[in-house]
Amino acid sequence: MQIKLDRKGEVARLVLGGRFDFSSHREFRAAFAEALEMEGVREIEADLGQVDYLDSSALGMLLLLREKAGEANAKVSLSNCKGVVQQVIEVANFQKLFIIR
Amino acid sequence: MNQPMKILIAEDNEIDRTLLGTLIIRFGHQPVLARDGQEAIEVFRTESPDLILMDAMMPVMDGFQAAAEIRKIAGNKWVPVIFISANSRDEDKIQVFAEGGDGFVAKPVNQRLLEARIGTMQRIVVMQREVTAGAEQLAQYREENEQEQNLARHLLEKIIRADRFDDKQIERWIHPAKYFSGDVIAAEFTPNNVLHVILADGTGHGLAAALNVLPVIEVFYGMTKKGYGVSNIARELNRKIRQLLPTERFVAATLAAIRFSDHTIEIWNGGMPAACYVDEGGAVLREWHAAHLPLGILDDRDFQLKTEIYHWEEPGRLFLYSDGLPDAQNPEGERFGTDRIRQAFSGKACEDQFWYLVGAVNTFLERENAPDDISVASVACGMGFGVSDTFPGIPAPAGMVVPSEARLFVKLCAAEIRSFDVLPWLISWLSQLYLSPRKCQELFLILSELYNNALDHGLLGLDSALKSQPDGFGLYLDMREERLSGMQQGVIEIELERIQDGSDPFLKIRIKDSGNGYAVEAAPEPGGDDMETPSGRGITLVRTLCESVDILAKGSEIVAVYRLQ
């Protein structure tokens, strides 16, 4: 999975692309650890627009992100969810846990 | 530099042989010598050298033959062979390599060239050894992993008691993924003959997935057998999973309670695809979409218990399935999707719907294994009133004495009535009196009947007659829901007393509600005429099972006496 990290003010954005599954574990953790270390970050946005596959391990990783972000007092949002990705997020009712943009 | 290698020198000319031996020692390696092809093979067997310098032309057996033999003996271990020959035309070199030689050095031997060749071969040997060791270790891990998978499957099967449940009413199919991915289907009756079915899908694959769902199954069976409702089971499962598993692991699940006596289906769905009720023509009459997050994510305070209840007025089937089903892909990469699921049972008779669906999936998949388990469960819902199942009460150990006088009193206020599952609590107390399974079940039926009447009619003021009207049941359930959540005051008292009359033990049951009374006898329930099934309804049932039933205070207090032996 490709991950790009950028920053817009108080929001650190992780732009993810490709398959988000159990093999993305290490890169994802490394990426959000980096994002959380940035100064003055209040929100981590996971941009899923380029993700074409998302399974339950990916959902698990988002939960982990949420926990770590919570410890750093940052919110987590999910953006550009469409197609299959959006369906998975909806069935799991993750809109109850994350801000959806 | 590198470690010294043991090098076999096969050379028929004595002077050349000695010279090569000296050179090898100078290069820092250890030589072993052979005079011809035959001896080379023998020396190879006894000394196991790391590299061979082979003269192409030798008497008795030439270098090429010897090399071929040695390769067979060496097996998986690669031992490089550098051929030495005075014939160094291109055709000769080609022949060396065609015969499987790994290197060529011309005679007279150039010392530095030979040293360089040996150095190259050594590097390759080291690499090859590492790769082989890696491959062997990998094979070992794979074997251990498969054993663990088998253990997980075995454990799961035992815990689900898959062998036990051969009920014609429930059909289940799990098409496992290549690496078991944690789908489980379990079913069990409560003491009150309500069928509980759970379809759970844990994150991950293999042993990890199995570990996720093991605690789920135990809790499901335990609580169902005690008579807990689906909401409470969901809450306990959530608590347990959250407690045991790390943050990133959760379990999506659909929990269904099917009451054959009432024709109702109550479902809690956390993160699973929609369950559906399908009629005899294959049309979907009702769907239960996931209203909740999967189990193990929210903490207890935030956990949502709300279930959705449906009353079926025509026979049909309840279908539950995991996301492996709509997500299943054919070799072209197309998803099976929800439409195909609906199509599979559209127009099919009830008995066939399940197997048509299974058939459609198998045809679609063509090849063997999907990456995710595909699980489907289906329950037949007819218009009859259910089959009695024996409640596994605890048989009395020989010579066991129980207190002849024992009393339990509990008083529930509005908030407690809403969220405390009092019936299983009462039954667990009763089970300590060592009653037979049959007795336990009868008591459970009596207590449910009296308690539900006290609540529905006494406190909530609902009229049973509504249930018999067309579409009335749904209305009844909605009203019940509304009134129950809005109830501010309301008290139910329950008293159970074990008394001894001479040598005969009895249980005196007293239930009192804080309502204004209601016409107890006039509360007919659907199917009340059917006296044969123990799940026949109303106060009539209670009268049949008890020695006596007294209605006091205009119906708000009922005292029943039940013979324990």
Side-chain angles (χ1 to χ4, degrees):
Chain A
M1 175 170 79
Q2 305 93 38
I3 309 181
K4 265 191 331 228
L5 176 57
D6 62 44
R7 173 110 186 226
K8 293 185 298 188
E10 291 187 331
V11 179
R13 188 169 62 150
L14 295 166
V15 183
L16 310 174
R19 263 181 89 93
F20 192 177
D21 63 16
F22 65 94
S23 59
S24 326
H25 200 247
R26 228 172 271 175
E27 323 151 54
F28 186 70
R29 287 191 78 151
F32 78 65
E34 205 187 316
L36 286 170
E37 261 160 39
M38 293 177 166
E39 279 287 316
V41 163
R42 290 300 180 78
E43 182 182 318
I44 310 257
E45 179 189 327
D47 183 332
L48 303 173
Q50 317 260 21
V51 172
D52 47 45
Y53 174 87
L54 186 85
D55 69 5
S56 57
S57 348
L59 293 179
M61 283 182 250
L62 290 174
L63 290 176
L64 210 49
L65 167 58
R66 178 175 171 264
E67 186 184 57
K68 297 291 178 202
E71 285 166 16
N73 274 317
K75 296 184 293 189
V76 181
S77 61
L78 307 177
S79 63
N80 296 322
C81 304
K82 40 194 205 286
V84 177
V85 171
Q86 184 177 36
Q87 266 180 35
V88 173
I89 301 275
E90 269 172 18
V91 171
N93 279 293
F94 267 33
Q95 73 284 355
K96 296 189 185 201
L97 296 176
F98 297 89
I99 304 163
I100 307 287
R101 297 199 189 286
Chain B
M1 260 298 287
N2 282 321
Q3 279 185 318
M5 291 195 290
K6 193 189 281 187
I7 300 183
L8 166 58
I9 301 166
E11 167 61 68
D12 60 316
N13 181 304
E14 194 176 341
I15 298 171
D16 286 346
R17 191 167 63 242
T18 319
L19 174 65
L20 283 172
T22 315
L23 283 180
I24 295 303
I25 294 174
R26 207 182 289 169
F27 298 155
H29 300 294
Q30 180 206 347
V32 289
L33 309 174
R35 278 174 299 196
D36 56 55
Q38 191 63 54
E39 210 183 344
I41 295 171
E42 283 152 28
V43 172
F44 181 83
R45 260 196 251 267
T46 49
E47 297 281 349
S48 292
D50 303 301
L51 186 147
I52 303 173
L53 288 179
M54 188 86 82
D55 182 9
M57 304 292 189
M58 285 185 289
V60 181
M61 194 193 285
D62 71 25
F64 300 120
Q65 244 184 300
E69 274 305 308
I70 284 172
R71 282 231 166 68
K72 279 188 215 152
I73 301 168
N76 267 340
K77 190 177 168 203
W78 179 64
V79 181
V81 179
I82 300 177
F83 280 96
I84 305 181
S85 178
N87 301 335
S88 59
R89 298 164 305 168
D90 280 348
E91 306 93 84
D92 303 306
K93 289 186 195 167
I94 289 170
Q95 188 195 15
V96 160
F97 290 112
E99 296 277 354
D102 301 296
F104 178 91
V105 169
K107 275 193 207 180
V109 170
N110 178 320
Q111 188 180 321
R112 286 216 291 273
L113 192 57
L114 181 62
E115 190 178 13
R117 286 260 187 276
I118 291 175
T120 308
M121 288 298 146
Q122 185 168 29
R123 278 199 297 281
I124 301 177
V125 166
V126 167
M127 260 198 309
Q128 197 262 0
R129 301 275 185 264
E130 271 171 30
V131 168
T132 312
E136 274 166 14
Q137 205 175 47
L138 196 61
Q140 199 191 351
Y141 281 154
R142 206 188 237 145
E143 205 183 297
E144 279 173 17
N145 187 298
E146 273 195 39
Q147 280 174 9
E148 280 174 8
Q149 300 260 350
N150 288 337
L151 175 63
R153 227 179 280 265
H154 173 90
L155 269 175
L156 221 44
E157 255 162 51
K158 283 290 171 216
I159 289 183
I160 298 179
R161 290 153 252 208
D163 38 329
R164 198 198 95 140
F165 227 108
D166 198 17
D167 204 293
K168 291 293 171 274
Q169 265 174 324
I170 304 170
E171 280 160 335
R172 50 179 127 191
W173 179 62
I174 298 188
H175 186 277
K178 188 151 175 273
Y179 295 108
F180 167 61
S181 65
D183 277 13
V184 278
I185 302 176
E188 183 62 89
F189 277 96
T190 68
N192 211 17
N193 276 322
V194 179
L195 178 64
H196 283 185
V197 180
I198 182 171
L199 194 137
D201 181 359
T203 47
H205 295 263
L207 193 58
L211 286 176
N212 286 353
V213 292
L214 285 177
V216 170
I217 302 302
E218 277 305 296
V219 169
F220 170 78
Y221 277 122
M223 289 180 79
T224 297
K225 300 255 269 281
K226 291 198 182 132
Y228 283 96
V230 161
S231 298
N232 279 316
I233 297 180
R235 180 171 49 197
E236 187 56 34
L237 287 175
N238 179 69
R239 219 183 264 152
K240 191 124 209 163
I241 292 167
R242 194 170 149 80
Q243 178 203 359
L244 291 177
L245 298 181
T247 307
E248 65 269 26
R249 296 209 185 266
F250 55 83
V251 177
T254 307
L255 269 148
I258 300 130
R259 274 176 200 271
F260 295 103
S261 55
D262 261 356
H263 297 168
T264 55
I265 298 174
E266 181 185 2
I267 290 187
W268 185 94
N269 180 346
M272 293 283 274
C276 55
Y277 185 79
V278 177
D279 74 8
E280 295 206 291
V284 175
L285 297 180
R286 177 58 149 103
E287 284 182 324
W288 286 260
H289 290 272
H292 302 294
L293 282 157
L295 300 164
I297 298 178
L298 291 175
D299 68 44
D300 207 34
R301 269 172 322 187
D302 301 324
F303 182 75
Q304 301 293 313
L305 293 160
K306 196 167 176 319
T307 56
E308 287 172 55
I309 307 181
Y310 169 70
H311 168 67
W312 78 80
E313 315 217 335
E314 316 171 17
R317 287 190 150 254
L318 174 67
F319 278 90
L320 310 177
Y321 52 86
S322 66
D323 64 0
L325 180 61
D327 287 350
Q329 282 185 6
N330 65 7
E332 284 79 54
E334 274 179 277
R335 280 179 75 241
F336 191 72
T338 317
D339 289 336
R340 281 200 183 83
I341 296 173
R342 301 288 184 258
Q343 261 167 39
F345 32 68
S346 163
K348 310 288 188 307
C350 269
E351 313 85 79
D352 305 326
Q353 285 160 6
F354 183 81
W355 296 106
Y356 265 105
L357 178 57
V358 171
V361 178
N362 277 323
T363 312
F364 185 79
L365 283 181
E366 291 171 52
R367 62 159 191 266
E368 268 301 307
N369 288 122
D372 203 4
D373 287 347
I374 297 174
S375 320
V376 187
S378 157
V379 181
C381 302
M383 302 313 289
F385 294 97
V387 169
S388 177
D389 207 26
T390 357
F391 173 49
I394 308 169
M400 174 61 90
V401 170
V402 292
S404 51
E405 282 181 31
R407 188 157 71 107
L408 171 71
F409 174 81
V410 59
K411 183 167 163 178
L412 303 170
C413 67
E416 287 156 5
I417 292 169
R418 258 194 292 277
S419 58
F420 180 66
D421 236 338
V422 70
L423 291 170
W425 193 74
L426 297 172
I427 284 294
S428 82
W429 182 77
L430 285 171
S431 69
Q432 291 173 77
L433 297 181
Y434 296 113
L435 304 168
S436 72
R438 176 99 212 167
K439 293 274 173 195
C440 265
Q441 183 175 33
E442 288 179 358
L443 277 169
F444 198 93
L445 288 170
I446 295 166
L447 287 168
S448 313
E449 199 50 55
L450 294 176
Y451 180 78
N452 286 324
N453 278 353
L455 177 56
D456 283 17
H457 309 310
L459 293 186
L460 301 179
L462 296 163
D463 185 359
S464 266
L466 184 56
K467 285 194 219 174
S468 331
Q469 289 169 19
D471 294 335
F473 211 109
L475 204 59
Y476 183 93
L477 292 174
D478 290 337
M479 273 174 74
R480 186 181 188 277
E481 168 87 39
E482 208 187 304
R483 291 188 187 182
L484 187 59
S485 38
M487 176 174 71
Q488 300 288 3
Q489 295 154 318
V491 172
I492 296 182
E493 279 177 22
I494 306 167
E495 193 174 333
L496 303 178
E497 196 179 344
R498 188 191 192 280
I499 47 185
Q500 198 98 0
D501 181 8
S503 56
D504 298 329
F506 289 91
L507 186 73
K508 182 169 150 197
I509 302 164
R510 188 177 72 87
I511 295 199
K512 180 172 167 184
D513 68 75
S514 58
N516 295 325
Y518 59 95
V520 179
E521 304 290 352
E525 304 286 330
D529 307 329
D530 194 346
M531 292 290 286
E532 282 166 334
T533 68
S535 42
R537 311 294 277 128
I539 203 69
T540 330
L541 170 67
V542 179
R543 283 199 190 281
T544 318
L545 296 172
C546 294
E547 288 287 296
S548 67
V549 176
D550 289 310
I551 301 169
L552 313 166
K554 295 194 259 178
S556 61
E557 186 170 353
I558 300 185
V559 178
V561 176
Y562 178 83
R563 180 182 281 272
L564 291 173
Q565 251 170 55

